[in-house]
Amino acid sequence: MTLRLIQIVTQEGERRVLAGQDDGSARAINGVTSTYELARKAIAAKKSLDAQVAVQGLGEEVDVALALSEGRVLAPIDHPDAAHLHVTGTGLTHLGSAEGRDKMHKAAAAAETQTDSMRMFLMGVKDGKPEAGKVGAQPEWFYKGNGTQLVGPGAELQSPAFAEDGGEEPEMAGIYVIGDDGAPYRIGYALANEFSDHVTEKQNYLWLAHSKLRPASLGVEILTGELPKDVRGTSRIWRGNEVIWEKPFISGEDNMSHTFANLEHHHFKYDLFRQPGDVHVHCFGTATASFADGVQTKDGDVFEITAAPYAYGLRNPLITRAEEKVAVNVL
């Protein structure tokens, strides 16, 4: 059974976790106020999420569309202590994803020399889908931040004053909770905008780490179970009432050079990422970005990402934060 897990705040200011249905309806899950709490209960009881929801029972029906219009839909996962939520990702994982990246970095290398990006992409093509029980090629990996960097539908994607660009990356994100036994448990997959600074990255590939230290947004719902092998969606940028850029994007293992299992292995092989109680949001990469088409985003632009089988799209406006002066104090 596939659940659609949604987190909202009621009009009275109380948190609820909803079980969404394919027809767009949703009902509150009794006895829990967060997806995290629900997952922890399921792990402790050694039950699947749908079995745990059956134990909890369902309450009143909730109008998700109304909650969205009123700005009451939260990111579908969070942690009581934001420092214990990790936002990370892998890149060059999708067939075709090397093209845009390679364009960005070719100027820094001789025409006859393969870039690091292309070499890593080809490693994934060759050995990113290993046989069962075997370990495949390592992907590119990056860190985006902790739970303070994660925002929900409709929330602003805030670009720091020193950024040179703020661009969207439409992707699938895996959502995980680490059990008390130190094992990762996947809750499911969410639609994500892995927002990045592509101009900074373009100048020097070693600045990729800097370019990724930006917020990310998650869509309305987490879909439990396995993601379809072929996911197709659309990424748009709105400027006022005009769509200034639009392009289809694809995901799912049929369109990837790595399996999800291989990407998960290379993240959770580090015991650092298997600390009991922690939450992980891991973005799995994309082959589509407006920056590769020469788009320069501006404050007020709205990123929109839609994809089946998700019932709701993801929209986030771009703003630039005021400059902050930071001084180191000597103790």
Side-chain angles (χ1 to χ4, degrees), residues 20-196:
Q21 308 299 315
D22 289 344
D23 63 4
S25 65
R27 294 175 65 187
I29 301 171
N30 295 330
V32 290
T33 60
S34 70
T35 302
Y36 178 74
E37 184 182 3
L38 175 67
R40 294 278 289 170
K41 282 179 176 286
I43 294 168
K46 295 181 169 55
K47 294 181 182 294
S48 65
L49 282 167
D50 59 306
Q52 187 62 39
V53 169
V55 170
Q56 301 291 136
L58 297 177
E60 73 276 13
E61 188 164 337
V62 176
D63 187 335
V64 177
L66 176 62
L68 263 175
S69 70
E70 294 179 346
R72 294 187 286 107
V73 176
L74 306 172
I77 187 68
D78 53 9
H79 192 288
D81 180 352
H84 286 277
L85 189 155
H86 308 276
V87 186
T88 55
T90 47
L92 297 170
T93 53
H94 284 62
L95 299 172
S97 63
E99 180 183 357
R101 185 76 69 84
D102 207 43
K103 285 180 183 177
M104 289 169 57
H105 300 298
K106 250 180 182 168
E112 67 274 9
T113 303
Q114 281 186 349
T115 65
D116 286 342
S117 293
M118 184 58 75
R119 283 194 291 270
M120 181 163 284
F121 172 74
L122 292 175
M123 287 170 63
V125 171
K126 180 181 178 182
D127 198 20
K129 294 183 174 180
E131 296 177 9
K134 295 188 177 181
V135 176
Q138 287 192 120
E140 174 192 56
W141 182 96
F142 54 84
Y143 173 73
K144 286 193 68 68
N146 60 26
T148 63
Q149 296 286 79
L150 197 63
V151 302
E156 294 171 339
L157 284 169
Q158 297 187 9
S159 187
F162 56 78
E164 299 192 55
D165 172 55
E168 85 302 328
E169 293 196 15
E171 343 200 331
M172 302 296 108
I175 314 297
Y176 308 85
V177 175
I178 310 302
D180 290 340
D181 56 358
Y185 293 82
R186 190 198 313 125
I187 297 174
Y189 297 90
L191 200 59
N193 185 345
E194 194 271 290
F195 181 70
S196 300

Side-chain angles (χ1 to χ4, degrees), residues 187-204:
I187 297 174
Y189 297 90
L191 200 59
N193 185 345
E194 194 271 290
F195 181 70
S196 300
D197 183 341
H198 300 98
V199 171
T200 292
E201 179 194 348
K202 180 180 179 180
Q203 293 176 65
N204 190 314

Side-chain angles (χ1 to χ4, degrees), residues 104 142 144 157-160 163-171 192-201 211-217 235-237 239 244-245 286 288-299 301-305 316-320:
M104 289 169 57
F142 54 84
K144 286 193 68 68
L157 284 169
Q158 297 187 9
S159 187
E164 299 192 55
D165 172 55
E168 85 302 328
E169 293 196 15
E171 343 200 331
N193 185 345
E194 194 271 290
F195 181 70
S196 300
D197 183 341
H198 300 98
V199 171
T200 292
E201 179 194 348
S211 75
K212 293 297 187 181
L213 291 175
R214 302 292 186 271
S217 61
S235 182
R236 300 180 184 87
I237 300 176
R239 186 165 292 164
I244 64 164
W245 179 85
T286 187
T288 305
S290 63
F291 179 79
D293 292 337
V295 174
Q296 293 182 318
T297 58
K298 298 180 179 179
D299 276 19
D301 287 352
V302 175
F303 302 112
E304 180 182 50
I305 301 169
N316 299 96
L318 168 65
I319 70 158
T320 300

